[in-house]
Amino acid sequence: MKKTAFDKIVVGFVVLVVIIFALLMVYSISTAQNSVLSERKSTMKNEITMLADGAMTDYSNGTIDSKELYKELQHAADTLDMGIWLTDERSNIIFRSGSSSGSSESGGSSKDSDSHSSTNDNLKNYVEPDELFASFCFEDTFGGYFSEDTLVIGQPLYSWNNYMGTIILTSPMTFKQDIKSRMLSTTFVPFLILMLIAMIALMLMSNSLLKPIREIIKTSKSYAQGNFNARVNVTAKNEFGELARYMEEMADELSRSNEYRKSFISNISHDFRSPLTSIKGYIEAMLDGTIPLEKHEKYLGIVLNEAQRLTKLTQGLLELNNFDSFDLQLDKSNFDIRDIITPTINTFEKRCNDRGIFLDSVFLTDNTVVYADRTKIQQVIYNLVDNAIKFTPEGRQIRVQVTEKDNKIYTSVKDEGVGIPKDAQKKVFERFYKTDPSRGKDKTGTGLGLAITKEIIKAHGEQITLTSEEGEGSEFIFSLPKEKDMQVPIKPVHIETHSERHSEANVSSSGVKSNGKFRIKDS
């Protein structure tokens, strides 16, 4: 039978309680016995003093004779339930309570004489001659004379400074065993009852404690088998309930990760298979003569474009893998974001002209210096503009705008494109996600641009947001911190004057004025 953690707790609890009970009993019995022993000694000392001051004084004064003395000593022994002995000046026992004679050694039978002689020898063995002239007290069987330990107290008797003998009181120490037996009998049964009640309580508690644990174990086995839809039926508002909630959250996250993994494999398979199929088809067609020699150059160009698409996809995957595996290393510095926006959007001049799209930039603040990684932010702006161009129809406008608010610089890329459905807006930053289910509108995209963009902004400790309406366009806005005071000299960066920027804008505009499809405007 498998032992549970609760079984170990119960066994440990029982062992601990038994040990504590035993220690308490030993301590209590010992304390009680010592207390009674101390009280018994005090009582015997008081009684022996009273006998010495009473009967023995009368005897020494001649008020009573030895017969009357022995009678009084026997009466006192019977009353006190103690043994009383009396020795003469030569330390020989002349009276012992309870003897058959009830009087002196000479008056007893031969059996009593032998007993007196033996007792006298024992007394001399246990008490040094000098100690007979002083009070003494010891606990012993008296050389086997008593069947159990006996408390023996003696006090010397003097008359006019002359030693007359010693009076001795003996009391069997049966009270020790009586105390032990009484305490055990009065505590052991209640202890057993309490232990029984405690065990029943523990068994009842175990049901409420082990039930959620078993439920958690059962559900965790389902999770291990890949069933992330299983739920932990634990609603208690305690640690078990908290653990159950965290397990369900973990299962939900694992389920999402599993779905993402399946989607990732499906998407990457599609994005790799399409260009590979095209490359394979065109090359086979050229080799078997389906495509004539004079058209090879045209189709080799298509093959080259597909190969470049594969290269771009591979680079994006490697970059995202670095984001997942390592902390993104940023080379932060102060730079004017205007100096990367203008040249970046200039690279899209031909595409905008070809598609009849108007692209401009607007700077609504004079303070456009930010503290960030220049190369990474340039990649962010490129990805956002590139994404906007893909989904903006002919004759519409894309605007890159820079504003300032709350010690941050905000950059937005707003288009007048097709917009993004509400249910898709939360997914646009996912890897390989494309809003077109057929994946037909965007033939060149990899579905990784926005995912990379979000990772870069996240690495800067900032946020990127999206607002979009279907048919009206989309706007991506990201924030960056303003310039930071540097402790080391900053490499000078040339910032164009307003006239220089205006002149450059006029040149760019004049260069494309014939078709009116592309313009850059500073405000």
Side-chain angles (χ1 to χ4, degrees):
M1 182 177 179
K2 182 180 179 180
K3 291 185 178 180
T4 64
F6 179 77
D7 296 332
K8 296 180 180 179
I9 293 175
V10 171
V11 173
F13 171 78
V14 172
V15 171
L16 180 63
V17 170
V18 170
I19 292 175
I20 292 175
F21 174 76
L23 293 175
L24 286 175
M25 287 303 301
V26 170
Y27 174 78
S28 300
I29 292 173
S30 176
T31 302
Q33 289 176 341
N34 291 334
S35 177
V36 173
L37 177 61
S38 177
E39 184 180 353
R40 179 63 61 91
K41 287 181 179 180
S42 177
T43 300
M44 292 176 67
K45 288 179 180 179
N46 291 333
E47 293 296 336
I48 204 171
T49 300
M50 292 176 63
L51 288 173
D53 293 340
M56 296 307 301
T57 301
D58 292 341
Y59 175 73
S60 64
N61 292 333
T63 305
I64 60 175
D65 57 13
S66 61
K67 185 176 180 180
E68 288 294 327
L69 173 63
Y70 298 156
K71 185 176 180 180
E72 288 190 20
L73 293 178
Q74 183 64 45
H75 178 72
D78 295 337
T79 303
L80 298 174
D81 193 21
M82 298 180 186
I84 299 179
W85 297 353
L86 184 64
T87 68
D88 58 16
E89 65 276 8
R90 294 185 299 275
S91 298
N92 294 316
I93 296 176
I94 59 175
F95 173 81
R96 187 185 65 211
S97 63
S99 64
S100 59
S101 64
S103 56
S104 67
E105 179 184 6
S106 59
S109 65
S110 60
K111 180 179 179 181
D112 289 333
S113 298
D114 294 340
S115 178
H116 276 293
S117 177
S118 175
T119 305
N120 188 62
D121 292 339
N122 290 335
L123 179 63
K124 292 179 179 180
N125 290 333
Y126 276 83
V127 181
E128 295 294 334
D130 293 339
E131 292 181 357
L132 288 172
F133 300 97
S135 299
F136 58 87
C137 176
F138 59 86
E139 303 167 26
D140 199 86
T141 60
F142 211 53
Y145 179 79
F146 299 109
S147 60
E148 57 188 349
D149 284 347
T150 300
L151 178 61
V152 180
I153 294 179
Q155 179 175 317
L157 301 173
Y158 291 92
S159 177
W160 302 103
N161 294 326
N162 294 322
Y163 174 69
M164 298 176 56
T166 301
I167 185 170
I168 300 171
L169 265 64
T170 64
S171 175
M173 298 179 66
T174 55
F175 64 87
K176 283 192 173 184
Q177 186 61 34
D178 293 341
I179 291 173
K180 182 177 180 181
S181 301
R182 193 178 303 115
M183 291 189 68
L184 286 176
S185 62
T186 56
T187 59
F188 189 71
V189 173
F191 171 74
L192 290 179
I193 295 174
L194 289 175
M195 283 295 296
L196 181 61
I197 294 174
M199 292 297 294
I200 295 174
L202 284 173
M203 291 176 64
L204 294 177
M205 290 174 57
S206 68
N207 188 38
S208 60
L209 290 176
L210 293 179
K211 185 177 179 180
I213 294 177
R214 293 191 184 101
E215 186 65 28
I216 290 173
I217 293 174
K218 177 183 175 182
T219 308
S220 64
K221 289 181 179 179
S222 298
Y223 292 161
Q225 294 171 358
N227 180 19
F228 301 116
N229 295 322
R231 285 296 176 260
V232 185
N233 296 322
V234 177
T235 58
K237 295 182 179 180
N238 53 26
E239 292 82 355
F240 294 116
E242 187 176 4
L243 176 60
R245 288 191 295 273
Y246 285 145
M247 283 189 62
E248 290 180 353
E249 291 178 6
M250 178 189 68
D252 292 339
E253 187 64 29
L254 289 173
S255 180
R256 285 191 292 268
S257 298
N258 191 47
E259 292 298 323
Y260 170 77
R261 179 181 59 82
K262 293 178 181 178
S263 176
F264 176 85
I265 294 174
S266 175
N267 290 330
I268 198 172
S269 298
H270 180 279
D271 285 340
F272 271 94
R273 184 171 59 248
S274 296
L276 287 174
T277 301
S278 298
I279 292 172
K280 179 175 178 292
Y282 287 128
I283 292 178
E284 288 178 346
M286 285 186 286
L287 289 175
D288 62 17
T290 303
I291 297 177
L293 185 61
E294 60 272 14
K295 294 184 178 181
H296 280 193
E297 184 176 355
K298 172 186 175 181
Y299 288 100
L300 284 174
I302 297 175
V303 169
L304 179 60
N305 288 334
E306 293 295 319
Q308 290 174 342
R309 179 182 172 189
L310 283 174
T311 301
K312 184 178 179 182
L313 177 61
T314 304
Q315 290 174 344
L317 287 172
L318 291 174
E319 189 169 1
L320 283 174
N321 182 68
N322 289 333
F323 291 162
D324 292 337
S325 303
F326 311 99
D327 291 334
L328 182 60
Q329 299 298 318
L330 300 176
D331 184 16
K332 291 185 178 181
S333 62
N334 291 329
F335 65 92
D336 193 337
I337 197 170
R338 186 195 306 264
D339 292 338
I340 64 172
I341 290 177
T342 300
T344 299
I345 64 176
N346 281 339
T347 61
F348 295 99
E349 178 179 350
K350 185 177 184 304
R351 286 179 61 187
C352 289
N353 289 337
D354 293 341
R355 299 186 58 175
I357 297 173
F358 297 92
L359 174 63
D360 64 356
S361 60
V362 178
F363 300 91
L364 301 181
T365 176
D366 292 332
N367 184 9
T368 56
V369 179
V370 297
Y371 180 70
D373 188 312
R374 182 187 184 98
T375 303
K376 297 297 183 184
I377 298 304
Q378 185 172 16
Q379 183 180 4
V380 167
I381 296 173
Y382 182 95
N383 289 346
L384 293 177
V385 174
D386 179 64
N387 183 75
I389 293 174
K390 292 175 185 176
F391 301 100
T392 301
E394 182 178 357
R396 299 292 181 90
Q397 180 177 354
I398 300 173
R399 170 167 291 181
V400 181
Q401 180 173 290
V402 178
T403 58
E404 175 186 3
K405 183 181 179 181
D406 298 333
N407 204 36
K408 291 184 182 293
I409 302 297
Y410 291 87
T411 304
S412 73
V413 177
K414 185 176 183 180
D415 63 65
E416 297 177 351
V418 296
I420 301 174
K422 290 288 186 183
D423 58 345
Q425 290 182 18
K426 294 182 179 180
K427 302 179 181 179
V428 295
F429 293 107
E430 295 180 3
R431 302 171 187 185
F432 295 106
Y433 180 79
K434 295 185 179 181
T435 56
D436 175 26
S438 66
R439 307 176 68 85
K441 292 181 180 179
D442 180 16
K443 295 294 185 180
T444 61
T446 63
L448 299 177
L450 292 180
I452 294 174
T453 296
K454 183 177 181 179
E455 292 293 338
I456 292 175
I457 297 300
K458 181 179 176 182
H460 281 79
E462 300 295 331
Q463 293 182 341
I464 181 169
T465 59
L466 164 66
T467 56
S468 180
E469 292 290 338
E470 289 189 76
E472 297 183 7
S474 305
E475 182 179 15
F476 290 88
I477 304 175
F478 67 89
S479 61
L480 290 174
K482 288 184 179 180
E483 63 179 319
K484 182 178 180 181
D485 293 336
M486 307 297 289
Q487 298 298 324
V488 295
I490 303 174
K491 182 180 180 180
V493 178
H494 174 67
I495 302 177
E496 297 174 334
T497 63
H498 177 75
S499 59
E500 289 174 331
R501 290 195 299 272
H502 182 70
S503 175
E504 179 181 347
N506 288 338
V507 171
S508 299
S509 298
S510 62
V512 296
K513 193 173 182 179
S514 59
N515 55 32
K517 301 290 181 68
F518 182 85
R519 70 174 184 268
I520 302 174
K521 181 175 75 173
D522 291 347
S523 299

